[in-house]
Amino acid sequence: MGAGRPGASAAAAAGAGEPRKFDPKFRGPIHNRHCTDIICCVIFIVVILGYIALGVVAWVHGDPRKVIYPTDSYGQFCGQRDTLNENKTILFYFNILKCASPVVLINLQCPTTQLCVSKCPDRFATYIDVQASYRYRPDQWNYFRQFCKPGFNNPRKSVAQVLRDEDCPSMIIPSRPFLKRCFPDFSTKNGVLTVANQTTFKDGRGKTRNVTDLREAANGINNVLDARSVGMKIFEDYAISWYWILIGLFIAMMLSLLFLVLLRFTAGVLFWIFIFGVIGIIGYGIWHCYWEYDHLKGIPGSDLTVYDIGFQTDFKVYLQLRQTWLAFMIILCGVEVIIILMLIFLRNRIRIAIALLKEGSRAIGYIMSTLFYPIVTFLLIAICISYWAVTAVFLATSGEPVYKVMANQTLCKYANLTCDPETFNTTNVTKLCPGAQCTFAFYGGEGLYHKYIFIFQLANAFVFLWLVNFAIALGQCTLAGAFASYYWAYRKPADIPLWPLFSSFGRAIRYHTGSLAFGALILAIVQLIRVILEYLDHKLKGTQNSFTRFLLCCLKCCFWCLEKFLKFINRNAYIMIAIYGKNFCTSAKEAFFLLMRNVVRVAVLDKVTDFLLFLGKILVAGGVGVLAFFFFTQRIPVFAQEVPMLNYYWVPLLTVIIGSYLVAHGFFSVYAMCVDTLFLCFCEDLERNDGSTAKPYFMSASLHRILGKKKLSPKKAVG
């Protein structure tokens, strides 16, 4: 499990901020270890067991069908299998005119009876007319009564009583299903809004109304359903284009693997290709933006501003404006200038960083299995995300139907109070608030479990963050142990363990689960606080004063900086844990002071290396993104017939670009971890050894030349 000769525990440092003393027995990652941070390990295991129990409880109480199916006024699902509504998949509103009420936005429910139907009405009709013609036109009644309450078949009942009891709607209008709900079938004729070619209709209460009233009422619901509508369209785009998205991500993975394998032999050449490739892609983007900007010149409507057209869900609308392409061009020009200036002023340090990457390439070349470890991290994070999402859905859909009084009268004192639909008509509410209804509102309950749903959701989010950070920590510690085995090998590759990655993974799990969980816990707490601050900022945006905005902004900034600092400390602490096997706090302290004693090297080499790797990620994501853009906009003639018909072509395009960047980040993170580990080991090597025969350096001859030492011991130079 150790690298090279049998190792022993490293000598203690003379002081936290002082260089480490020489230990002639030290030979890299020690194998005589003991378990660290045992208390945190026990707590972590107990929390995982509790998280599993929470998922089981949520699964017992929750019902995801509440999200999938629309719900009528009685809390029954439309279209649910093995129920009376199995063939009734669409929700029908008795009086859609009431949906213009502000109650819709408050309770997310329209204050009128809602019924599950098999199809939407296709004609204008009123209950008064249908009842009057019942004797000689029974077919009209048979059609109309399918929109009445189930079992109602008494056309002789007075109109006043029917409308009072809401046995039937006062009117029906031609409608079409939208998001499984019946909405008026609007159309425009000669610039005039119509429904079934009519501009007016009877409301069933003796009045003739204009169809614009229907538009206002329909918008009342649309304001609530707009976000869901966009979500459904995006979901449809994913359902149609998922195959091509996977192909794009596979291409990104192959490009990332190809670059990483080639880095083993041509690190310098490939990274200059990265640099000039990024410059070339941004340059093409500038040219394309200018071409679009010039092409739109003189086209009617292209000179409008984004402010003039407002918010639009169709992204194509913005692409038809010259201002949009001008803004893109200015942004890309700024990015291009910044990158070029950085390359000019950092050219010498970039050469040093490339040489350090070559050393990392040799390490990865000897331990090729490390390239595929990000797949393990990805699978662990995917499991965490899936479990969190499923648990959140089941928690959100837990509970029994809750009914509330919904009334058009804003002064009704019973409005928004809970009620019982079975006894509602026997109460005085209908007399004091005419038109009030006892309507289904949401799913909840009065039990102990339902009272703490929000706490459970918060716990679900917190444990999710903890597990994700633990999966990342496990990957960093595993890779660090493998690359440390390479660095501290006397003779490379003879002294490198047979399975360095597997051995490092075993050490991390067996001895240091508690330490990794401790580091992940600290980071998860800070991230949860950031999430809460963002939530408060969103909720208080309309009511907060200037001081509150300033205070929230300061808190968000401070915790953002704290999170970045903790990630940096944790990463280096895991490297020290992989080498020495100490607990988290001791490792974090030693890593911090070691970096502070070499702060110039950290700033010059480590950060420039991160910049180069970032350029590599941009090249992969940008290259695949350009290819996806040409494909989804049907600009590749060979594949023009294969492009799916999409609502928003930018949905799969952005998914491919972001996914490609994440794929590239996963593979390039191996290189980043390799460089960080080698750099930290190098600093340790310099403090422990002096290059003499008695205390030879473990670094290779090439790395020794890169980082400025004048000579190696004869033994090491040969090795």
Side-chain angles (χ1 to χ4, degrees):
M1 294 190 30
R5 305 172 188 176
S9 175
E18 300 178 2
R20 199 182 302 277
K21 293 181 179 180
F22 173 70
D23 182 2
K25 297 182 179 181
F26 180 76
R27 291 295 182 269
I30 62 173
H31 59 79
N32 293 330
R33 298 174 180 245
H34 62 274
C35 295
T36 56
D37 296 304
I38 299 176
I39 296 178
C40 191
C41 179
V42 173
I43 294 174
F44 184 59
I45 294 174
V46 171
V47 168
I48 291 178
L49 295 176
Y51 195 36
I52 295 174
L54 176 62
V56 172
V57 173
W59 181 77
V60 171
H61 289 85
D63 189 353
R65 294 174 300 178
K66 300 170 185 177
V67 177
I68 300 173
Y69 301 107
T71 310
D72 63 15
S73 297
Y74 309 100
Q76 299 172 342
F77 302 128
C78 297
Q80 181 183 352
R81 284 188 173 184
D82 301 325
T83 65
L84 296 176
N85 291 333
E86 181 175 2
N87 297 321
K88 300 177 180 179
T89 59
I90 307 171
L91 192 66
F92 171 73
Y93 299 94
F94 266 36
N95 189 356
I96 197 171
L97 292 171
K98 292 184 178 180
C99 297
S101 168
V103 177
V104 176
L105 297 178
I106 297 174
N107 298 321
L108 303 183
Q109 287 286 336
C110 184
T112 186
T113 300
Q114 300 166 37
L115 194 69
C116 297
V117 296
S118 57
K119 61 181 180 179
C120 296
D122 58 6
R123 66 192 70 169
F124 283 107
T126 65
Y127 181 78
I128 296 175
D129 295 337
V130 170
Q131 187 188 54
S133 62
Y134 166 67
R135 294 181 180 178
Y136 56 89
R137 294 289 300 274
D139 56 314
Q140 288 190 359
W141 168 250
N142 292 332
Y143 179 82
F144 192 91
R145 75 183 182 91
Q146 64 181 318
F147 303 105
C148 299
K149 290 181 179 178
F152 181 78
N153 189 16
N154 184 15
R156 295 182 179 85
K157 188 175 181 179
S158 69
V159 175
Q161 291 178 334
V162 169
L163 299 183
R164 181 198 63 191
D165 299 336
E166 292 217 359
D167 295 318
C168 288
S170 61
M171 64 175 178
I172 59 174
I173 57 176
S175 306
R176 57 184 174 85
F178 176 71
L179 294 179
K180 296 186 177 181
R181 290 165 173 81
C182 291
F183 282 92
D185 190 8
F186 294 109
S187 61
T188 303
K189 185 176 182 181
N190 297 326
V192 179
L193 186 67
T194 65
V195 174
N197 295 323
Q198 295 188 26
T199 57
T200 60
F201 67 97
K202 296 179 180 180
D203 66 356
R205 297 178 183 271
K207 294 182 180 180
T208 300
R209 310 283 289 267
N210 194 288
V211 295
T212 54
D213 295 336
L214 291 174
R215 166 62 75 182
E216 182 181 353
N219 285 339
I221 301 178
N222 282 336
N223 290 334
V224 179
L225 299 178
D226 264 350
R228 184 172 178 180
S229 173
V230 174
M232 291 293 292
K233 289 182 180 179
I234 292 175
F235 179 78
E236 290 174 0
D237 288 343
Y238 279 127
I240 297 173
S241 61
W242 67 270
Y243 179 77
W244 296 105
I245 292 175
L246 290 181
I247 291 177
L249 297 181
F250 178 77
I251 294 174
M253 183 183 70
M254 296 308 298
L255 284 177
S256 301
L257 278 174
L258 178 63
F259 283 136
L260 291 179
V261 172
L262 292 178
L263 277 176
R264 174 68 177 89
F265 309 101
T266 58
V269 175
L270 274 181
F271 269 94
W272 283 115
I273 291 175
F274 283 169
I275 292 170
F276 290 111
V278 170
I279 293 175
I281 288 177
I282 296 177
Y284 168 78
I286 294 172
W287 175 85
H288 183 79
C289 290
Y290 174 77
W291 183 87
E292 293 281 0
Y293 176 78
D294 184 68
H295 179 70
L296 290 173
K297 185 177 182 180
I299 297 178
S302 63
D303 290 326
L304 294 173
T305 65
V306 175
Y307 178 79
D308 292 333
I309 66 173
F311 175 74
Q312 301 289 331
T313 57
D314 189 356
F315 190 70
K316 293 180 181 179
V317 175
Y318 297 104
L319 298 181
Q320 297 171 3
L321 304 178
R322 298 186 75 203
Q323 187 188 65
T324 301
W325 293 106
L326 179 62
F328 286 164
M329 184 170 62
I330 293 173
I331 293 172
L332 290 177
C333 285
V335 174
E336 186 89 323
V337 170
I338 291 173
I339 292 178
I340 292 175
L341 289 177
M342 291 182 68
L343 293 176
I344 292 174
F345 290 106
L346 297 176
R347 60 187 183 278
N348 293 326
R349 290 173 177 81
I350 287 175
R351 293 193 186 99
I352 297 174
I354 289 175
L356 185 61
L357 283 168
K358 288 182 179 179
E359 183 64 21
S361 299
R362 295 188 184 94
I364 292 178
Y366 289 129
I367 316 175
M368 290 292 291
S369 58
T370 54
L371 288 177
F372 300 96
Y373 187 84
I375 298 176
V376 177
T377 302
F378 172 79
L379 291 176
L380 291 176
I381 294 177
I383 292 172
C384 294
I385 293 175
S386 301
Y387 189 86
W388 164 79
V390 171
T391 303
V393 169
F394 274 93
L395 284 173
T397 56
S398 298
E400 301 298 326
V402 174
Y403 301 87
K404 287 191 174 184
V405 177
M406 294 191 181
N408 287 327
Q409 298 180 6
T410 56
L411 298 179
C412 178
K413 64 179 181 179
Y414 296 101
N416 296 324
L417 297 180
T418 56
C419 57
D420 185 351
E422 295 183 358
T423 61
F424 181 74
N425 290 331
T426 62
T427 63
N428 293 327
V429 178
T430 54
K431 297 179 181 179
L432 298 175
C433 302
Q437 296 289 324
C438 184
T439 307
F440 167 79
F442 55 86
Y443 287 94
E446 300 297 331
L448 185 65
Y449 169 79
H450 302 101
K451 289 182 179 179
Y452 293 98
I453 287 291
F454 177 76
I455 302 298
F456 292 149
Q457 287 283 24
L458 203 62
N460 183 33
F462 173 70
V463 180
F464 162 72
L465 293 173
W466 193 0
L467 291 175
V468 168
N469 285 306
F470 176 81
I472 295 173
L474 178 61
Q476 291 176 342
C477 189
T478 298
L479 291 173
F483 293 129
S485 298
Y486 162 84
Y487 185 92
W488 297 107
Y490 237 29
R491 296 168 298 171
K492 301 177 179 65
D495 290 341
I496 300 176
L498 183 61
W499 303 104
L501 185 67
F502 180 78
S503 300
S504 179
F505 181 82
R507 290 195 298 268
I509 287 292
R510 181 177 178 183
Y511 298 107
H512 307 303
T513 296
S515 297
L516 301 180
F518 187 35
L521 173 63
I522 298 173
L523 197 55
I525 293 174
V526 174
Q527 290 173 340
L528 183 65
I529 294 174
R530 287 193 63 200
V531 171
I532 294 174
L533 289 175
E534 291 290 345
Y535 175 79
L536 291 176
D537 185 36
H538 175 73
K539 284 294 183 182
L540 301 177
K541 188 167 293 183
T543 58
Q544 60 191 339
N545 53 34
S546 299
F547 176 76
T548 307
R549 287 197 300 269
F550 174 76
L551 181 61
L552 274 176
C553 183
C554 290
L555 288 173
K556 288 163 61 177
C557 181
C558 290
F559 278 97
W560 180 84
C561 294
L562 179 60
E563 181 183 354
K564 295 298 180 184
F565 176 75
L566 287 175
K567 284 183 177 179
F568 175 76
I569 291 297
N570 284 11
R571 184 182 181 92
N572 290 282
Y574 299 146
I575 296 174
M576 300 300 283
I577 290 172
I579 298 174
Y580 296 107
K582 297 182 180 180
N583 62 45
F584 176 81
C585 292
T586 302
S587 299
K589 180 186 68 176
E590 293 183 353
F592 177 77
F593 285 113
L594 179 62
L595 292 172
M596 290 302 100
R597 294 194 295 269
N598 297 273
V599 65
V600 177
R601 291 191 178 100
V602 172
V604 173
L605 296 177
D606 192 49
K607 295 309 161 189
V608 173
T609 301
D610 288 344
F611 172 69
L612 290 176
L613 292 175
F614 175 69
L615 290 183
K617 299 171 193 176
I618 292 180
L619 180 61
V620 172
V624 177
V626 169
L627 181 64
F629 173 77
F630 280 112
F631 175 78
F632 287 113
T633 55
Q634 299 182 347
R635 302 191 184 189
I636 303 179
V638 179
F639 296 101
Q641 300 298 326
E642 302 294 333
V643 180
M645 298 299 296
L646 302 170
N647 296 303
Y648 312 118
Y649 79 88
W650 52 265
V651 170
L653 177 61
L654 288 180
T655 304
V656 169
I657 293 174
I658 296 174
S660 298
Y661 181 84
L662 293 177
V663 169
H665 174 75
F667 286 99
F668 280 87
S669 64
V670 175
Y671 249 85
M673 198 66 204
C674 178
V675 171
D676 288 349
T677 302
L678 294 180
F679 181 75
L680 216 60
C681 291
F682 162 77
C683 295
E684 281 280 291
D685 198 7
L686 290 181
E687 293 190 354
R688 289 180 174 278
N689 307 306
D690 58 10
S692 64
T693 304
K695 296 188 290 182
Y697 289 122
F698 282 77
M699 70 183 75
S700 65
S702 58
L703 185 59
H704 183 271
R705 289 193 300 271
I706 293 167
L707 296 170
K709 290 295 172 180
K710 295 182 179 179
K711 63 179 182 178
L712 276 175
S713 65
K715 177 180 178 181
K716 191 61 185 171
V718 174

